Amino acid sequence: MNPRPIGVFDSGMGGLTAVRQLRRLMPSEHIIYFGDTARVPYGNRSRETLLQYARQDMRFLRSFDLKAVLVACGTVSANCLEDLQADGGVPVTGVVEPAAARAAETTRTGRVGLIATRASVASGAYERAMSRIAPELKVTALACPLFVPLVEEGRCQPGDVVIETVAREYLAPLKEAGVDTLILGCTHYPLLQDVIGGIMGPGVQLIDVGGEAAAACRNLLAEQDALAGQGTGSICCYTSDRAANFARLASLFLGEDLAGRVEHVDIAQY
Ligand code: DGL
């Protein structure tokens, strides 16, 4: 048993969708979350910039005595995970491998779709992970850059004409490719599950990368006999921009109120 906290970071608040899954699977764990809201979005940035930001985010998190880190950000996971793991010090789990493994297990036709940010798609990380697990699978990957701002504007309900129009256009090539499994490779996309599911139809299984990564993190801790055990867990959030703004939007992603549990951090110091 190990009561030390799990660190989670993301470019902003979206990573709270993964924290929601962590809290569902491991309600006794203590979680320290960092959202880099002063520098969001990460999704269009170069690998060099992403690695610089991710290392600062890790350095801040490692100022706590953590037992593990979950990189909730799809963009950082796809571009920098190996570097962060090589930096050492604490076990680091990303979202790509667990989601690729689940997709390989789920698909019946061998045709898998991926939607994510531009930098995630450009990294080719999912294709590499899939080819290691099941080289016969065909992956169709598409960037959907308008999804993040639309979710943050609350345009995520089925029937909302703006999100429905954008989503239909983005998803058309995936429907054409005949995928039967679709990886939602970005923190914000679980909020679009109903919209995307409605367009893709009931024959397509949607994979939530945050949920798969949370399960992988739980398995890792269980293997190391490092779960927190009994008791009520907690969550403490840090943001590089205004704490009040963070707390206001956070409940959309986390499904719980964070009032009084968000603090500002000057990430440039790390
Ligand atoms: N958190 C990012 C991801 O999952 C999406 C938002 C951004 O572009 O920073 O890729």
Side-chain angles (χ1 to χ4, degrees):
M1 242 160 52
N2 185 340
R4 277 152 56 213
I6 301 171
V8 182
F9 77 91
D10 178 41
S11 53
M13 281 165 293
L16 290 169
T17 54
V19 171
R20 190 176 192 155
Q21 299 302 326
L22 275 177
R23 280 169 74 71
R24 184 179 60 80
L25 290 172
M26 298 185 281
S28 301
E29 297 293 337
H30 302 289
I31 294 167
I32 310 277
Y33 181 90
F34 173 67
D36 196 4
T37 45
R39 302 189 295 196
V40 73
Y42 282 14
N44 294 321
R45 296 194 191 272
S46 68
R47 210 188 89 79
E48 293 70 32
T49 302
L50 289 169
L51 187 55
Q52 180 206 327
Y53 288 180
R55 283 199 163 123
Q56 284 180 300
D57 302 346
M58 282 290 288
R59 275 199 286 274
F60 165 67
L61 278 180
R62 292 190 53 200
S63 64
F64 299 86
D65 183 21
L66 303 174
K67 62 182 172 187
V69 169
L70 174 63
V71 181
C73 183
T75 305
V76 172
S77 294
N79 284 277
C80 312
L81 188 75
E82 288 82 5
D83 303 85
L84 301 181
Q85 287 173 331
D87 289 342
V90 66
V92 185
T93 303
V95 301
V96 174
E97 285 281 343
R102 173 68 64 208
E105 237 173 69
T106 305
T107 183
R108 296 284 162 260
T109 61
R111 272 170 281 172
V112 174
L114 162 72
I115 53 174
T117 64
R118 279 204 182 96
S120 294
V121 169
S123 75
Y126 282 91
E127 288 89 337
R128 282 195 299 280
M130 296 285 221
S131 71
R132 278 194 298 270
I133 300 165
E136 70 283 3
L137 297 184
K138 184 171 172 358
V139 184
T140 307
L142 284 176
C144 301
L146 288 173
F147 278 174
V148 166
L150 286 173
V151 167
E152 293 195 355
E153 287 300 323
R155 310 300 293 257
C156 39
Q157 298 308 320
D160 180 306
V161 66
V162 177
I163 190 65
E164 290 275 1
T165 307
V166 171
R168 265 178 212 291
E169 188 170 319
Y170 276 153
L171 300 174
L174 293 169
K175 285 182 73 111
E176 214 151 283
V179 303
D180 72 342
T181 302
L182 176 57
I183 300 174
L184 308 184
C186 170
T187 47
H188 289 55
Y189 299 177
L191 278 81
L192 294 174
Q193 208 145 357
D194 292 343
V195 171
I196 294 169
I199 294 170
M200 296 306 293
V204 177
Q205 300 294 317
L206 305 182
I207 311 258
D208 165 19
V209 298
E212 298 303 329
C217 188
R218 181 198 49 193
N219 295 344
L220 181 83
L221 293 174
E223 270 166 30
Q224 298 175 345
D225 195 22
L227 290 165
Q230 303 295 311
T232 307
S234 63
I235 171 160
C236 227
C237 290
Y238 294 84
T239 170
S240 48
D241 204 65
R242 287 193 56 207
N245 294 352
F246 185 100
R248 200 168 333 114
L249 244 181
S251 59
L252 178 68
F253 297 98
L254 185 62
E256 65 183 279
D257 186 16
L258 278 176
R261 288 182 287 172
V262 185
E263 280 179 43
H264 174 260
V265 58
D266 180 5
I267 197 66
Q269 309 250 312
Y270 290 87

